[in-house]
Amino acid sequence: MRLYLSAPLFSQTERQFNRRLAAELTRLLPRCAVVLPQDFRAGGGASFNDRRRFHALFQKCIDEIRRADIVVALLDGADADSGTAFEVGYARGIGKPVLGVRTDYRQLQEKGLNLM
């Protein structure tokens, strides 16, 4: 089984949490390969902040979502991260199952999370 972990990845705290979550998923599901997009380096080791490689990085994310059996999405915050929201929408659009994870228990909207 192949699992794509969709989550915000722009701060040290986010990346550390993502890494711990990926490790825990790997421990709990030893036959499952966990794909962690923060480890992607488009163009052979280049930084993911290199604007010249954004298209290749985007394509890598799309390709990995397509290869995944399931997408697990971290949905913390007042609204889900925009990249995570796109990945969830893309995955659902191509018929992939998505499992949302929420550790943030603030009251948001009527039912808890912006459902869009």
Side-chain angles (χ1 to χ4, degrees):
M1 175 184 265
R2 195 167 180 84
L3 182 153
Y4 183 94
L5 180 56
S6 178
L9 49 75
F10 296 103
S11 72
Q12 287 293 329
T13 301
E14 290 168 341
R15 289 189 298 274
Q16 289 170 2
F17 182 84
N18 298 346
R19 183 133 346 265
R20 286 194 318 269
L21 180 57
E24 186 64 10
L25 288 167
T26 299
R27 186 185 72 75
L28 293 170
L29 305 165
R31 293 184 183 172
C32 185
V34 177
V35 177
L36 192 57
Q38 70 193 44
D39 291 339
F40 296 169
R41 296 289 186 264
S47 167
F48 51 70
N49 283 329
D50 184 343
R51 291 182 180 276
R52 296 169 297 174
R53 305 196 190 282
F54 282 176
H55 178 75
L57 185 57
F58 172 82
Q59 193 59 54
K60 172 78 171 162
C61 292
I62 294 299
D63 292 345
E64 290 295 341
I65 292 169
R66 286 186 170 279
R67 291 181 62 206
D69 297 296
I70 187 169
V71 172
V72 173
L74 185 60
L75 301 172
D76 282 344
D79 285 308
D81 170 73
S82 58
T84 301
F86 171 82
E87 290 173 333
V88 166
Y90 184 83
R92 292 290 296 146
I94 62 170
K96 298 285 177 175
V98 176
L99 175 65
V101 175
R102 186 152 172 85
T103 67
D104 184 343
Y105 292 105
R106 290 180 283 183
Q107 292 296 314
L108 303 170
Q109 293 197 0
E110 187 176 317
K111 298 291 183 184
L113 177 67
N114 181 345
L115 298 177
M116 292 311 291

